Structure formats: C-alpha cells, structure tokens
Amino acid sequence: MTNTRDQILETTCDLLENQGFHATGLNEIVRESGAPKGSIYYYFPEGKEEIISESVAYAGQRVAERIQAHLAGTEDPAQAVQSFVETIAHHVEASGFRAGGPLTIVASESATTSERINQSCQEAYTQLRNAFAEKLTRAGIESENAASLAWMITSAIEGGIILSRTYHTGDPLRQVAASLFCLIKNCESARSAGTK
Amino acid sequence: MTNTRDQILETTCDLLENQGFHATGLNEIVRESGAPKGSIYYYFPEGKEEIISESVAYAGQRVAERIQAHLAGTEDPAQAVQSFVETIAHHVEASGFRAGGPLTIVASESATTSERINQSCQEAYTQLRNAFAEKLTRAGIESENAASLAWMITSAIEGGIILSRTYHTGDPLRQVAASLFCLIKNCESARSAGTK
C-alpha cells in the first residue's frame, strides 16, 4: 500500500516541477498517477494542500539524497559541485526543458499564500543546503563559510534551472557550474592563505 | 490613453510577480488595474497570452533600466553588483515577501507551454544579462568573461529571490550579494594576472 502513496507523491512532484501548484488539480494527479481516486482521500484526507506539502517534503528528501550521493563520488568539493550542476544541465535538456527544480515554482507561489506548503519548502531547501554545506565542511572549509557558500550554490542552481528551461539549453547551468567551481576554489585558497 | 495601457501592464506585472500566470485571470487584471473592462480588449485584442507577453516585455525593460541606473552609480563593478543585489533584498523584505523577480514564476510556467510568452521571457532575461555584462566590460573585463559572469549573476539573483521569499528574509540575497562580489573581484584579478 505504501507504493500507491509514493506513486501519488511522485506524480505530484512531476506536475509541480513542470507547472507549479496553481495549475495542478486533484483530478490531474489522479489521472497521471493511475491511483484509484479513493486512495487520494485515504492517504491525504486533508486534500490538495496536504498532498502538495507532502510532495515537497518527498522531493526535498529525494534531491538531498541525490546531491549527497553525487558529491560523495568526487573528493574535491569544487569539482564535485561543478560536476553535479552539469548533471542537472543534462537532466533539464533530457526532459525537453519540462523538468528541473521540483521546488522552484511551488516555493515562489506559496511563499505568502500557504503557511503549510511554505514550511515544507523551507525544510526542503534546508535539506539541499545542508547537503552542500556538509560536503564543504568535510573538505575542510570553515563551517560559517560553508553555510554561506551553500546559500549561493542553492540560489545559483535554482536560477540556472529557470534560465536553462527558458532558453531551452543547459548552457546557463553550465556557466553556473563553472562559476561555482571558481567561487569554491577561491574560497578554499582564501582559507588556506588565512591559516598558513 | 497610453496611461491605461501602462496601468494594465503594471498591474499584470505585479500579479505575475506575486503568483505567476496560471493563477492570474483577466477579471483579476481588470479589477486590480481599475481599467474599464473594454480597454483590455481594445489594447490587447488577442487576450491573455498577449497581455502576459507584453507585461513580461514591460518588466524586462523596466528592470534592465533599474539595473543600468543602479550600476552606473558605483565605479567598481563588484561593489556595484553587490549593492544592487542588496537593494533587491530590501525590496523583497519591504513587499512582505510577495514581490521580487517579476519573471521568475512566469518563465518557469511558460518554458514549454507558450511559445509567445517564452520568447518574451528570453528577451527580457537577455536585457537583464546585457545590463550586467555591459557594466563588466566597461570596467575592463574581457567580453566573453563578462557574458559568462552575467549568466551567473542573473541566475544567482533569480534563485536568491526565491529563497528570500521562501524563508521570509532578505538574508539569502545578501549571501548571494557577498558571493557575487567575491566572484567578480577574483575574475578581475585573474584577468589582471593574465595580462601582466
């Protein structure tokens, strides 16, 4: 039975990623997920706001795990982040510019309109930022500096996804990837310079 | 009569900035702008897609001018960009996190759903990028490097606006401002190092 719930959440994530929550209706979620209509009310008795909020949490968890797994594969944090952002560029291209940034639209839409969804978006972005910050601190970057860089990394990726979808090319994200590499490298050398 | 048209466009920009285009209906535009209903069809005979598309163009022009005016006030490009991004942080806070990024939501929503609106979003983002790139080249940064930085600046600002609205604080944008300062400074020194 857990599968039906996850199936509903995954479908909702895809719809949110593509078109945001204003444009996403319960009927569309039912139709696209293939779940029996009754199961929506069984798993999410509080309706649309609950489904969206849980989907955002689900997306945050899934993306944070993807970030951790990818970053773990490369020792150098600047190279690891650059290569991760390049995979997003590829993902956005492969989706025909329909996907990328499961939180982007819903976060903007709900910022001041739904406290519950806004709270989920905050928690999801915090998971993403923490995944980046942990990699940076594990590589020896001082924790305040790492936290600050993690805000920038998350912001630049979110904006890079918007530009890549808008221009129908992964190149804006590749520019972001190269700039983040430079930024993290310079931060590292500033740190080394400071401690030597 | 030009005033009524501009009034409709400004109202639409505010609605797009706050909630995107799926959630924005013609009736709401009429109500919020105070324009006579007939004037909407007079100025925009092709309907909602035309109004949104023209509003995006209007927003792009207005924001590009604001960028140019602000950046012209400070000679150093790194300081100029940092200070500009700090004014956005203030603007987002002053709006109660309802405003900031007139293109953000509509660009994502329309990326693959409306060719006409997508085209306007591309043109608007290009105006923004050019405003940054021109400041950087005027300050002596090599044009390819300036263009590349302009993608990063635009991406980081767009994402920083999303995070600031989501977390209900201008601090993410202030982190972005500080990181962009560092990035532009390092780019400049890399260039000087290369030419010396």
Side-chain angles (χ1 to χ4, degrees):
Chain A
M1 288 299 275
T2 321
N3 279 346
T4 305
R5 188 176 187 276
D6 281 359
Q7 194 181 328
I8 294 167
L9 292 177
E10 272 178 34
T11 301
T12 309
C13 286
D14 291 344
L15 292 168
L16 291 178
E17 190 161 345
N18 183 228
Q19 62 191 21
F21 94 96
H22 280 306
T24 300
L26 284 186
N27 288 335
E28 194 175 9
I29 295 172
V30 169
R31 196 176 57 241
E32 297 286 322
S33 68
K37 189 154 188 172
S39 62
I40 295 260
Y41 302 101
Y42 174 76
Y43 288 111
F44 308 98
E46 295 165 54
K48 185 175 168 180
E49 205 178 24
E50 186 182 17
I51 299 184
I52 304 287
S53 168
E54 293 293 317
S55 298
V56 166
Y58 185 86
Q61 185 63 38
R62 207 173 50 165
V63 176
E65 284 166 6
R66 212 179 294 152
I67 296 170
Q68 283 160 344
H70 191 99
L71 297 187
T74 305
E75 200 182 329
D76 178 73
Q79 277 176 8
V81 169
Q82 178 173 26
S83 132
F84 176 70
V85 179
E86 282 167 355
T87 65
I88 307 177
H90 180 76
H91 169 66
V92 172
E93 284 176 340
S95 76
F97 310 101
R98 293 169 53 87
L103 307 172
T104 319
I105 309 182
V106 65
S108 305
E109 285 176 318
S110 64
T112 54
T113 55
S114 162
E115 203 180 317
R116 181 173 187 170
I117 299 173
N118 172 250
Q119 199 57 45
S120 296
C121 289
Q122 285 192 22
E123 288 163 13
Y125 275 127
T126 299
Q127 285 187 293
L128 271 49
R129 287 191 295 113
N130 286 345
F132 290 116
E134 279 161 20
K135 174 70 181 180
L136 298 173
T137 47
R138 209 170 299 127
I141 295 175
E142 185 265 319
S143 79
E144 200 181 330
N145 209 353
S148 171
L149 279 170
W151 280 110
M152 176 62 168
I153 293 168
T154 310
S155 297
I157 290 173
E158 288 296 286
I161 289 170
I162 295 171
L163 293 188
S164 281
R165 289 178 67 176
T166 302
Y167 283 93
H168 298 177
T169 161
D171 289 345
L173 277 165
R174 292 190 186 94
Q175 298 278 7
V176 164
S179 288
L180 287 176
F181 175 85
C182 173
L183 190 70
I184 297 168
K185 272 290 171 211
N186 281 300
C187 152
E188 283 188 291
S189 50
R191 185 188 60 87
S192 320
T195 51
K196 266 170 196 165
Chain B
M1 288 301 273
T2 321
N3 279 345
T4 306
R5 189 176 187 276
D6 282 359
Q7 194 181 328
I8 295 167
L9 293 177
E10 274 179 31
T11 301
T12 310
C13 286
D14 291 344
L15 292 168
L16 291 177
E17 190 160 346
N18 183 228
Q19 62 191 21
F21 93 96
H22 281 306
T24 300
L26 283 186
N27 288 335
E28 194 176 9
I29 295 172
V30 169
R31 196 174 57 241
E32 298 284 323
S33 68
K37 188 153 189 171
S39 63
I40 294 259
Y41 301 102
Y42 174 77
Y43 288 112
F44 307 98
E46 294 164 55
K48 185 175 168 181
E49 205 179 25
E50 185 182 16
I51 299 183
I52 304 286
S53 168
E54 293 293 317
S55 298
V56 166
Y58 185 85
Q61 185 63 39
R62 209 172 49 164
V63 176
E65 284 165 5
R66 213 178 294 153
I67 296 171
Q68 284 160 343
H70 190 99
L71 298 187
T74 306
E75 200 182 328
D76 179 73
Q79 277 175 8
V81 169
Q82 179 173 26
S83 133
F84 176 71
V85 178
E86 282 166 356
T87 65
I88 307 177
H90 180 76
H91 169 67
V92 172
E93 284 176 342
S95 76
F97 310 101
R98 293 170 54 87
L103 307 172
T104 319
I105 310 182
V106 63
S108 306
E109 285 175 319
S110 63
T112 53
T113 55
S114 160
E115 203 180 317
R116 181 173 188 172
I117 299 174
N118 173 250
Q119 199 58 45
S120 296
C121 289
Q122 284 191 23
E123 288 163 14
Y125 276 127
T126 299
Q127 286 187 292
L128 272 49
R129 287 191 296 111
N130 286 347
F132 290 116
E134 279 161 21
K135 174 72 182 179
L136 299 172
T137 47
R138 210 170 299 128
I141 295 175
E142 185 264 320
S143 79
E144 200 180 330
N145 208 353
S148 171
L149 279 170
W151 280 110
M152 176 60 167
I153 294 168
T154 309
S155 297
I157 290 174
E158 288 295 287
I161 290 170
I162 296 171
L163 293 188
S164 282
R165 289 179 67 176
T166 302
Y167 283 93
H168 298 178
T169 161
D171 289 345
L173 277 164
R174 293 191 186 95
Q175 298 278 8
V176 163
S179 288
L180 288 176
F181 175 86
C182 173
L183 189 70
I184 297 168
K185 272 291 171 211
N186 280 300
C187 150
E188 283 188 290
S189 51
R191 184 189 60 89
S192 318
T195 52
K196 267 170 194 166

